[in-house]
Amino acid sequence: MARRAQGTAAGLSRERIADAAVALVDRDGLERFGVRRLADELGVDPMSIYHHIKGKAALLDAVSEAVLAEVAAATDDTSRDWEEIARRTAHGYREMAYRHPRVFPLLATRAQTSPVALIALERLVTAMREAGLPEQVVADAPMTLFGFLNGYLLAVLSGESGEDTGTPAIDADTYPTMAALAPLQAGYGSVAEFDRILGTVLGRVQDRAARGGTR
């Protein structure tokens, strides 16, 4: 693609750059991503991108923010029930991860401090406080929830598609307990499995709250 000369108006905006960067990572992966390749996709000089986003680290943050905005757009913002907010946020986050599996590692490995990320967390912890949950439980909630989400989704999306690949064969003579449990572990990566484990995580939060925030 022909590149515009540096300084020539290119109709760029931060949003347009971020959207193009998301598309590029979706297609080619993070390992091949760079400002020069993005500039080629946009048909601009790399310095034109730097006028809007200052460096590759800031560009990766813009990519993260763009996909998190999809979660915010798909999440109902009228509920005041903290558990419903947590469940809707978690499922929206999962759906985004499946749409952008090559972008997702950015969310799991970089601190997310953009306004769209903080607004989502503020809504969750505010609802928890209004419900009277202990302060320590509320303070721990973001790490508890997103620790599970990031770890689970990284594991699931590390495969070819993240879809159920069936229950692996386990030698029942050597590992009898694991073999007995294997049928209950079917549906790897499915919505049903995700929702079940999410319920366990949220149940743990509820248990701590019932004990006044103690372990």
Side-chain angles (χ1 to χ4, degrees), residues 62-203:
V63 169
S64 298
E65 187 174 359
V67 296
L68 285 175
E70 297 180 14
V71 181
T75 302
D76 175 26
D77 63 358
T78 60
S79 176
R80 303 301 299 174
D81 179 82
W82 75 264
E83 187 172 355
E84 182 178 352
I85 292 171
R87 285 188 177 277
R88 288 179 180 272
T89 300
H91 279 276
Y93 196 72
R94 175 187 181 275
E95 290 163 5
M96 174 276 296
Y98 272 69
R99 285 194 300 272
H100 304 289
R102 291 180 163 182
V103 173
F104 183 73
L106 283 178
L107 304 181
T109 58
R110 294 172 66 85
Q112 301 302 317
T113 58
S114 65
V116 69
L118 295 178
I119 287 170
L121 294 180
E122 177 72 10
R123 181 166 171 253
L124 173 62
V125 297
T126 297
M128 295 180 81
R129 255 188 164 184
E130 290 176 349
L133 272 67
E135 291 286 276
Q136 191 62 62
V137 174
V138 176
D140 291 344
M143 184 65 73
T144 301
L145 179 60
F146 283 92
F148 155 66
L149 291 174
N150 289 333
Y152 176 87
L153 291 168
L154 279 176
V156 169
L157 294 172
S158 65
E160 288 297 315
S161 64
E163 298 297 333
D164 179 14
T165 55
T167 305
I170 296 177
D171 184 345
D173 292 331
T174 306
Y175 312 106
T177 303
M178 289 295 295
L181 293 173
L184 299 178
Q185 297 172 330
Y188 179 66
S190 67
V191 174
E193 180 195 59
F194 177 81
D195 205 44
R196 185 174 68 247
I197 302 175
L198 174 62
T200 299
V201 173
L202 298 182

